[in-house]
């Protein structure tokens, strides 16, 4: 035994050092706090299906986290194996579980999928390059859920030389045809953008029709344009309407003395009926013309309206073109704190979920759940650390899913 | 088993002198480095505050506080680690070649031992693994010591205290040497061991076939790397993302084991049948 001292010493040092190290890291407390909902009023059962994604910032520490009524999970706290899976949206995770083989190698953007009763469709634009030869094409895969057969094909994007990139905004199957709504970024007209809808004939495996829905131009480099899709509860499901808000910022014009005068940014809402293949004419009342449109469901377009006295949600019915009930979501005493403007609104099963984030540190985000029909507040509360902390932390939630 | 342990012990003994030099150098250079760095920061602070009458807060705003993480990025710290790494890499080759080119043609005696020649191969591989882990352990033991020395030298206002776990988490390369999770430790050092046995087998190709052997060894090494990296290359070069992340991990582990077993088996074959003494 004595003759083996070199071997024994080396092995002992290794085992003791690493053993202590790993036992210590297993036992040591996480530097991240536990987060929880703190009720002000209402019924916390409505929070059960809520999944939030946000970020936590404190001196020297910054991390993303996923938060539900049951637990808060920080990305840094995930084990190696868990961190491989990444933070994906619950809808994509569900699809991956149910259709494992079909989902291989597919983009994890929810907008690329249509989950219908009989078919699961996927569309993405591939082979995009900013400076190479224009070779971008649609990659389409449609799974027949009953027969388990997949139809796959690619089609070059029409007029692809005009675009620097094309993004899929929505995929729908209507009447046996595949309809894909895309936002196309123009190559040569500054940062101009266009919305298109392409109809695909699955039998011919080709585009049968392409239509331009809308466009916003940028005449020079100081003008910024954006087209944002308004949130819909059921992105992967069947919906007849799709809505966008078109924004143009940074316009300048000459005033009488020849100097530059900043023009107000413009923003316009476009609603398109996918089934009828027509734009829906909007007859917005004056109060809504400057309001922020943020979401749509199959019958109503929702706007955020706020002034010094209150913030509210206004619904505008597409079929009757009339304003529906107004839902007040906060009144003057709570509006004193400056909210960061990044509120998240989601709707599910007749309830509206609202998260309001604040700019100042240690101002916890607030959550409110409202019954859309009755306007009754079902839950009011905030999201805070379990143990009170004197550190200057910032907690923001920027994404919410309702299961 | 006895013979195997004897051989490992023997291999460790042969290297012990250099090994102790590496350990001592690391300890001395790093501890001196902490003190030197701390003093440099303090004298800079002294000069600015006492001579140029800069207020404390301004000095801290401009130069920042001292923290252990920045020490781990300095040459005083990295130098000895690099020295140890280079020495061990060279020894992966020397552990074999010294037996052929030493003063007494030692290899005769080694291969004539009444023991399976394969034990020699395994003993050398194990010795290298233990030497690497030993050096890494010493470094791990040094970290809290050096951190404490730094905290002694720098006054509280000028120092951002950091826990060792925090430093390891934020430093890319320290995170690789000391993975935060045991499973990552197995994967990282397992991959390292796989590389060592691939090199060993390449060396044995050279010892078996001389000049032709060098080509065979290099080719074999390249083939092993290609097989192991195949699933990752598919994604990086051709953009084919077929496997889910966990599946990719399982595939890579399996390929790693296959490549490792292949290297050991071929090495054993070469050592038993082909090596020229």
């Amino acid at each position: 035994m004595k003759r083996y001292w070199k071997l024994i010493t080396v092995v002992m040092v290794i085992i003791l050092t690493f053993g202590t190290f790993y036992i210590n890291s297993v036992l040591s407390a996480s530097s991240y706090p536990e987060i929880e909902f703190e009720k002000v009023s209402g019924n916390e059962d409505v929070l059960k299906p809520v999944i939030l994604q946000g970020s936590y910032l404190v001196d020297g520490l910054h991390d993303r986290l996923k938060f539900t009524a049951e637990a808060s999970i920080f990305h840094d706290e995930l084990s190696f194996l868990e961190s491989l899976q990444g933070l994906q949206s619950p809808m994509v995770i569900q699809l991956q579980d149910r259709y494992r083989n079909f989902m291989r190698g597919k983009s994890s953007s929810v907008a690329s999928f249509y989950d219908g009763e009989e078919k699961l469709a996927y569309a993405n634009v591939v082979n995009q390059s900013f400076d190479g030869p224009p070779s971008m094409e649609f990659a389409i895969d449609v799974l027949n859920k009953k027969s388990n057969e997949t139809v796959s094909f690619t089609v070059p994007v029409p007029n692809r030389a005009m675009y620097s990139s094309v993004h899929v905004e929505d995929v729908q199957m209507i009447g046996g045809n595949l309809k894909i709504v895309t936002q196309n970024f123009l190559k040569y007209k500054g940062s101009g953008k266009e919305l298109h809808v392409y109809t695909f004939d699955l039998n011919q495996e080709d585009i049968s029709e392409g239509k331009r829905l809308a466009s916003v131009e940028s005449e020079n480099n100081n003008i910024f344009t954006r087209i944002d899709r308004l949130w819909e509860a059921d992105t992967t499901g069947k919906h007849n309407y799709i809505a966008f808000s078109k924004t143009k910022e940074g316009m300048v014009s000459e005033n009488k003395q020849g100097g530059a005068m900043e023009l107000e940014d413009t923003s316009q809402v476009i609603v398109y009926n996918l089934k009828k293949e027509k734009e829906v004419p909007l007859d917005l009342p004056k109060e809504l013309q400057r309001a922020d449109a943020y979401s749509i469901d199959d019958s109503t377009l929702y706007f955020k309206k706020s002034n010094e006295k209150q913030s509210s949600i206004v619904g505008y019915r597409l079929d009757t073109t009339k304003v529906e009930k107004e839902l007040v979501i906060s009144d003057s005493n709570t509006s004193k704190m400056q909210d960061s403007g990044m509120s998240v609104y989601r709707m599910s099963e007749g309830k509206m979920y609202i998260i309001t984030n604040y700019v100042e540190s240690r101002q916890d985000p607030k959550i409110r759940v409202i019954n859309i029909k009755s306007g009754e507040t079902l839950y009011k509360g905030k999201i805070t650390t379990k143990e009170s902390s004197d550190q200057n932390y910032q907690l923001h939630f920027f994404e919410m899913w309702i299961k | 088993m006895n013979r195997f342990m004897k051989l490992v012990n023997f291999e460790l003994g042969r290297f012990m002198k250099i090994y102790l030099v590496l350990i001592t150098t690391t300890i001395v250079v790093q501890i001196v480095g902490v003190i030197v760095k701390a003093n440099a920061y303090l004298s800079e602070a002294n000069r600015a505050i006492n001579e140029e009458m800069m207020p404390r807060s301004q000095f801290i705003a401009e130069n920042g506080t001292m923290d252990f993480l920045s020490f781990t990025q300095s040459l005083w710290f990295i130098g000895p680690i690099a020295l140890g790494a280079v020495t061990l890499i060279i020894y992966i080759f020397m552990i074999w070649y010294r037996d052929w080119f030493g003063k007494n043609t030692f290899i005769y005696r080694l291969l004539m031992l009444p023991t399976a020649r394969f034990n020699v191969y395994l003993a050398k591989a194990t010795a290298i693994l233990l030497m690497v882990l030993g050096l890494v352990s010493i470094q791990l033991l040094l970290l809290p010591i050096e951190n404490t020395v730094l905290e002694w030298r720098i006054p509280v206002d000028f120092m951002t205290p950091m826990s060792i776990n925090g430093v390891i988490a934020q430093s890319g390369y320290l995170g690789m040497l000391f993975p935060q999770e045991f499973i990552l430790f197995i994967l990282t050092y397992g991959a390292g061991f796989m590389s060592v046995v691939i090199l060993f087998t390449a060396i044995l190709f050279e010892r078996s076939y001389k000049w032709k052997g060098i080509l065979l060894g290099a080719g074999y090494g390249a083939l092993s790397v290609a097989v192991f990296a195949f699933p990752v290359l598919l994604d990086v070069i051709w953009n084919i993302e077929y496997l889910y992340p966990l599946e990719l991990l399982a595939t890579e582990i399996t390929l790693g084991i296959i490549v490792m077993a292949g290297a050991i088996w071929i090495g054993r074959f070469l050592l038993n049948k082909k090596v020229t003494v």
Side-chain angles (χ1 to χ4, degrees), chain A residues 193-196 211-216 227 244 246 270 279:
Chain A
K193 300 172 176 71
E194 292 180 349
L195 280 176
H196 285 249
K211 225 193 267 194
R212 192 178 75 174
L213 296 183
S215 69
V216 61
I227 300 182
F244 293 88
K246 217 167 69 164
I270 306 162
E279 190 173 326

Side-chain angles (χ1 to χ4, degrees), chain A residues 238-290:
Chain A
K238 204 179 175 78
H239 45 264
N240 290 325
Y241 294 102
I242 186 170
F244 293 88
S245 87
K246 217 167 69 164
T247 317
K248 199 162 171 176
E249 300 168 1
M251 292 164 293
V252 160
S253 80
E254 267 190 36
N255 60 21
K256 293 198 187 119
Q257 283 85 14
M261 187 174 72
E262 262 183 44
L263 290 175
E264 211 178 308
D265 302 336
T266 60
S267 178
Q268 192 190 351
V269 182
I270 306 162
V271 179
Y272 186 74
N273 186 324
L274 285 164
K275 200 165 181 193
K276 297 204 185 132
E277 297 188 4
K278 274 198 307 192
E279 190 173 326
V280 175
L282 297 175
D283 189 13
L284 296 176
K286 207 161 181 199
E287 49 167 354
L288 288 183
Q289 280 173 16
R290 288 285 160 83

Side-chain angles (χ1 to χ4, degrees), chain A residues 171-209:
Chain A
V171 177
Q172 286 284 296
M173 283 207 66
I174 300 184
N177 284 328
L178 190 67
K179 289 212 174 149
I180 303 179
V181 179
T182 63
Q183 185 175 162
N184 303 10
F185 288 51
L186 292 170
K187 216 175 199 174
Y188 298 117
K189 278 197 212 161
S191 69
K193 300 172 176 71
E194 292 180 349
L195 280 176
H196 285 249
V197 62
Y198 300 94
T199 310
F200 289 78
D201 184 325
L202 292 176
N203 293 323
Q204 306 271 352
E205 295 191 356
D206 200 357
I207 296 181
S208 59
E209 195 185 344

